[in-house]
């Protein structure tokens, strides 16, 4: 089975690009951030504190996560595609994702997806810890300013009011959290193909990846 792994910071466009590449190649797209978000959603619903690490790991062990080809996310059969994108979940997920034992169980679940499918998987530790031997490993980046501009534009489209400086600060905080996690930190390595999309359109990034992986 072929594996294309894409890591990068929040707002770098990984999701959009990984989905498009998966579609062109007819591979399965796996958003690992969505998997961590499912755990965060369940800790909120069950009122579990991030310090209760064993309970959180058990939640994941007993959780069935399915990602379908229309990009829906199902947690124990329930469509949580919208619920996992709430601000409450976004804030909580940064507290649960550093738990080392949780990441170990998560990695096993993520590797299961590649047993019977060609996959494009995106996240923070896919090229380094989940699939260090992936067929292709990419690090997709963009400047903080450009990522803030993109997030602000998305907010405007959705009719959400936001301030560019605040958006920038929140991106910087997420970068800090992603880079400084004791396990599963976002890391750049010599083995990744590095793409800085700051001055590229989405199509240009997709074309660049396709020119490398194209069959
Ligand atoms: O990509 P995203 O914003 O949906 O990710 C949600 C959260 O999950 C964010 O806190 C980073 C974390 N994450 C992680 O720790 N490891 C991954 N492979 C993917 C996401």
């Amino acid at each position: 089975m072929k594996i294309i792994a894409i890591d990068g910071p929040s707002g770098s466009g990984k999701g959009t690009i990984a989905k498009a590449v998966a579609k062109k190649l007819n591979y399965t797209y796996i958003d690992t951030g969505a998997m961590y978000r499912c755990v965060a959603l369940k800790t909120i619903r069950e009122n579990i504190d991030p310090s209760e690490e064993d309970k959180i790991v058990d939640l994941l062990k007993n959780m069935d996560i399915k990602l379908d080809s229309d990009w829906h996310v199902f947690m124990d059969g329930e469509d949580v595609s919208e619920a996992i994108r709430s601000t409450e979940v976004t804030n909580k997920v940064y507290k649960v994702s550093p738990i080392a034992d949780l990441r170990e169980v998560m990695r096993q679940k993520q590797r299961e997806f590649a047993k019977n499918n060609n996959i494009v998987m995106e996240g923070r530790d896919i090229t380094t810890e989940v699939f260090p031997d992936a067929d292709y490993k990419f690090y997709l980046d963009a400047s903080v300013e450009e990522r803030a501009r993109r997030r602000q534009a998305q907010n405007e489209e959705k009719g959400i009011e936001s301030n560019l400086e605040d958006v920038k600060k929140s991106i910087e905080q997420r970068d800090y959290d992603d880079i400084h996690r004791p396990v599963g930190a976002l890391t750049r390595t010599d083995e990744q193909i590095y793409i800085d999309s700051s001055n590229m359109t989405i199509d240009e990034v997709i074309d660049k990846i396709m020119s490398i992986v194209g069959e």
Side-chain angles (χ1 to χ4, degrees):
M1 293 291 132
K2 290 254 185 201
I3 300 167
I4 299 174
I6 307 180
D7 285 323
S10 168
S12 58
K14 300 185 301 289
T16 309
I17 282 147
K19 265 182 216 173
V21 169
K23 196 164 190 187
K24 278 183 192 280
L25 293 170
N26 203 18
Y27 283 18
T28 302
Y29 162 66
I30 311 286
D31 170 2
T32 59
M35 300 175 75
Y36 283 97
R37 284 171 181 273
C38 285
V39 176
L41 177 65
K42 201 144 191 195
T43 61
I44 293 169
R45 286 184 177 174
E46 304 210 348
N47 223 346
I48 298 173
D49 190 84
S51 63
E52 298 180 278
E53 298 194 356
D54 293 348
K55 278 196 189 172
I56 298 177
V57 175
D58 280 344
L59 277 189
L60 178 61
K61 281 187 183 158
N62 296 314
M63 186 185 285
D64 174 57
I65 303 176
K66 288 213 167 62
L67 305 152
D68 80 7
S69 56
D70 287 327
W71 329 124
H72 290 119
V73 180
F74 295 90
M75 180 176 81
D76 297 327
E78 175 193 350
D79 186 346
V80 292
S81 318
E82 298 241 332
I84 59 166
R85 305 284 162 202
S86 71
T87 310
E88 203 187 358
V89 169
T90 301
N91 293 337
K92 184 69 105 187
V93 71
Y94 272 84
K95 301 209 172 84
V96 302
S97 61
I99 301 171
D101 291 347
L102 180 79
R103 300 196 73 88
E104 179 56 42
V105 177
M106 197 59 107
R107 284 200 288 267
Q108 287 162 14
K109 286 195 184 253
Q110 289 161 350
R111 289 184 190 125
E112 288 287 315
F113 285 112
K115 286 209 170 133
N116 302 307
N117 304 291
N118 293 317
I119 59 168
V120 180
M121 185 175 283
E122 53 107 341
R124 306 293 193 287
D125 58 346
I126 313 307
T127 60
T128 52
E129 292 185 21
V130 182
F131 291 118
D133 297 323
D135 297 274
Y136 296 98
K137 292 183 273 191
F138 292 94
Y139 187 104
L140 190 59
D141 208 356
S143 68
V144 174
E145 287 72 23
E146 179 56 24
R147 287 185 282 137
R149 268 195 296 275
R150 290 176 189 168
R151 177 64 45 81
Q152 175 86 346
Q154 280 168 358
N155 286 346
E156 269 170 26
E157 254 174 46
K158 290 185 201 157
I160 302 169
E161 260 190 51
S162 60
N163 168 293
L164 189 61
E165 267 313 299
D166 291 345
V167 173
K168 201 174 144 197
K169 275 197 202 122
S170 110
I171 287 178
E172 281 168 341
Q173 178 63 47
R174 289 199 205 178
D175 285 357
Y176 184 90
D177 290 341
D178 279 334
I179 292 165
H180 293 91
R181 241 195 314 275
V183 267
L186 176 65
T187 321
R188 271 182 66 184
T189 71
D190 291 344
E191 292 184 7
Q192 296 153 340
I193 299 166
Y194 180 77
I195 302 177
D196 181 348
S197 73
S198 304
N199 297 310
M200 295 169 81
T201 64
I202 289 170
D203 283 342
E204 282 169 345
V205 180
I206 295 167
D207 287 349
K208 171 143 191 170
I209 294 182
M210 288 304 296
S211 72
I212 296 166
V213 305
E215 292 169 355

